[in-house]
Amino acid sequence: MKITEIKTFLMQVGSRPGMPAGAGSFRGSRNWLFVKVETDEGIYGIGECSGWPRVIERAVQDLANVLVGEDPRDIDRLWQRLYVATMGHGMTGTVGGGALTGIEMALWDIKGKVLGQPVWNLLGGKFRDTIPVYGHAKSPERAQELMDRGYSAVKVGFTGAVNLELVASIRDTVGPDADVMVDAHGPSWMTAADAIAVGRELEQLDLLFYEDPVAPENLGALQRVRDAVDIPLAAGERVSTIWGIRPYIERDLVDVIQPDTGRAGGITQMRKMAAMAESHYITMAPHSGSLGPVAEFAALHVLATIPNVLMLERVEIDWPGRYEVVTPVLKAEYGALPVPDAPGLGVELVEEEIEKYPSQRNVADMPENEGAYEPGTFGECVYFQPRLRRRSRLRLKRTEES
């Protein structure tokens, strides 16, 4: 069996033909990139690349020159060959990690189809038949809607300063038996001192984890937060490969690693990350905030086979096109997704639907709301920013009243 061609399918998410680019989620900047690896025996595999899909597409097309004529079943050897091929262009970042991921995912899909087995069975078998998922809530009403759908865990995400009163309100809404998480990602990123101040206030709300309290490359600051705050920490969605996740694990900086299933480097890399984390008693909860449906299938196969799974992020009630571009469609029941049983990944592209959404743009140059920055500084759009009026902005009213 030989690889004959690699095709890419790039699409805009949240914008139908005739609609402005800004319509839909992610301020009109969200793209999905799917990969199809074809062989001379008519068997093909599909994968998904994330990170910067519009740019990654060119990387995949360039790497196709290395793969055509190769046996797709030699997954690890081909991954190493691709990794070495990109080495001369610098360290593997978002683009390289995304390209490696989508291609390797498609190779696993091929192998599963050739052997007539789901990918999870090729990875050693499964621990579980369903994977717990959590949703996103920006209001108590949304949190209640997720609870009504059977979810038992919600995450509150912020750009800039964390709204502590909103987190407290959502905790009150879901009650003590549900899990609440906080994602404090930037921009603007908090300084270590502000992340610690926020974390100490969050301690009283019994969080499952406090995610990305400081910028991802600022590992010294993450260590300071780790030492000062009594809440489990989570991070890792922006790194690729075992070498990218290594310092988070070896330095015990987090309790939860969050590799992105579309840019972590591939299914094998995800499994290796999980094993590294297991040796440090760290769990895994993969990032899925901007991903499409193919990577979600891949995540289920990985999480079914590892002992230290926590849960999977899911954008519940996503853009309607998500449920049109692949078959079958995953449906969460009682806060969990079923592990697929079909050979390979168990998902197929609906190419004619993907073609309806041509890519228009893939970057958004400013945060979604001016609340991410100090008043009057929105136009500066700086990477990190200290918080002013710290007493009023970094404390819960209920703490002051108690």
Side-chain angles (χ1 to χ4, degrees):
M1 177 179 285
K2 302 295 181 185
I3 296 173
T4 57
E5 187 176 5
I6 297 180
K7 296 180 179 178
T8 55
F9 302 85
L10 181 68
M11 62 176 289
Q12 190 78 32
V13 179
S15 180
R16 296 178 181 270
M19 294 173 63
S25 60
F26 289 75
R27 289 160 283 148
S29 68
R30 192 180 182 192
N31 279 207
W32 289 336
L33 175 63
F34 306 118
V35 173
K36 186 175 185 180
V37 177
E38 298 186 339
T39 71
D40 58 358
E41 296 187 13
I43 298 175
Y44 61 85
I46 63 172
E48 182 178 344
C49 314
S50 78
W52 194 350
R54 193 163 174 149
V55 177
I56 294 171
E57 182 179 39
R58 298 303 296 269
V60 171
Q61 292 167 350
D62 203 23
L63 288 170
N65 298 304
V66 177
L67 291 173
V68 170
E70 291 285 345
D71 189 330
R73 295 168 294 188
D74 296 338
I75 298 174
D76 287 353
R77 181 180 66 82
L78 293 182
W79 190 93
Q80 292 285 334
R81 184 169 180 180
L82 293 175
Y83 190 73
V84 171
T86 64
M87 184 181 64
H89 301 286
M91 300 298 291
T92 301
T94 297
V95 175
L100 285 165
T101 299
I103 292 171
E104 195 252 20
M105 194 185 297
L107 298 182
W108 275 108
D109 192 30
I110 289 173
K111 182 163 249 183
K113 291 174 179 175
V114 168
L115 298 175
Q117 294 291 325
V119 168
W120 57 258
N121 210 25
L122 307 181
L123 299 175
K126 59 184 177 179
F127 283 90
R128 54 197 68 84
D129 295 319
T130 61
I131 305 300
V133 294
Y134 68 85
H136 292 246
K138 293 184 178 181
S139 68
E141 294 75 19
R142 174 63 171 154
Q144 185 59 58
E145 182 180 0
L146 289 170
M147 294 296 104
D148 293 342
R149 286 173 171 265
Y151 278 64
S152 60
V154 298
K155 186 165 77 175
V156 195
F158 300 94
T159 301
V162 173
N163 184 336
L164 293 163
E165 294 179 51
L166 175 58
V167 182
S169 179
I170 287 176
R171 164 50 79 195
D172 289 341
T173 296
V174 302
D177 294 331
D179 283 309
V180 176
M181 298 82 83
V182 166
D183 185 353
H185 68 80
S188 62
W189 292 96
M190 288 189 284
T191 63
D194 286 343
I196 290 169
V198 168
R200 285 175 173 166
E201 295 299 325
L202 290 172
E203 287 176 352
Q204 63 183 300
L205 297 177
D206 190 25
L207 298 186
L208 182 63
F209 60 71
Y210 182 23
E211 178 180 343
D212 280 337
V214 292
E217 68 277 4
N218 198 357
L219 297 183
L222 187 60
Q223 181 70 67
R224 289 178 58 192
V225 178
R226 179 71 159 169
D227 293 340
V229 175
D230 189 19
I231 305 177
L233 299 184
E237 70 181 63
R238 292 170 177 82
V239 301
S240 297
T241 76
I242 54 175
W243 298 285
I245 203 70
R246 177 182 173 184
Y248 292 91
I249 295 173
E250 290 191 348
R251 293 172 58 178
D252 287 308
L253 295 176
V254 295
D255 301 276
V256 185
I257 57 168
Q258 301 174 293
D260 184 294
T261 316
R263 61 174 177 252
I267 287 174
T268 305
Q269 288 291 302
M270 291 274 286
R271 286 267 299 167
K272 289 180 178 181
M273 290 178 181
M276 292 167 64
E278 181 188 358
S279 71
H280 285 251
Y281 302 92
I282 293 170
T283 61
M284 178 187 279
H287 175 258
S288 187
S290 57
L291 288 178
V294 174
E296 189 170 52
F297 273 80
L300 294 177
H301 285 275
V302 172
L303 296 180
T305 66
I306 64 173
N308 53 328
V309 60
L310 183 63
M311 60 180 63
L312 176 65
E313 179 178 25
R314 186 164 211 244
V315 182
E316 183 65 45
I317 319 175
D318 199 0
W319 172 65
R322 180 187 194 91
Y323 311 105
E324 301 168 359
V325 299
V326 299
T327 184
V329 174
L330 291 169
K331 182 179 180 182
E333 294 186 3
Y334 305 106
L337 288 172
V339 177
D341 278 323
L345 294 177
V347 62
E348 297 291 341
L349 301 177
V350 183
E351 297 178 18
E352 60 270 23
E353 289 296 325
I354 296 172
E355 292 173 357
K356 295 179 181 179
Y357 309 103
S359 174
Q360 301 173 54
R361 55 177 287 199
N362 198 189
V363 293
D365 61 351
M366 297 290 273
E368 194 168 303
N369 58 74
E370 293 204 15
Y373 292 98
E374 290 294 320
T377 69
F378 180 61
E380 298 175 10
C381 199
V382 295
Y383 187 61
F384 81 96
Q385 189 177 61
R387 273 55 183 171
L388 303 176
R389 307 179 312 287
R390 298 179 83 247
R391 177 175 174 78
S392 63
R393 295 190 69 183
L394 299 181
R395 293 193 64 82
L396 287 169
K397 286 185 176 179
R398 61 171 62 189
T399 301
E400 296 174 355
E401 293 170 355
S402 59

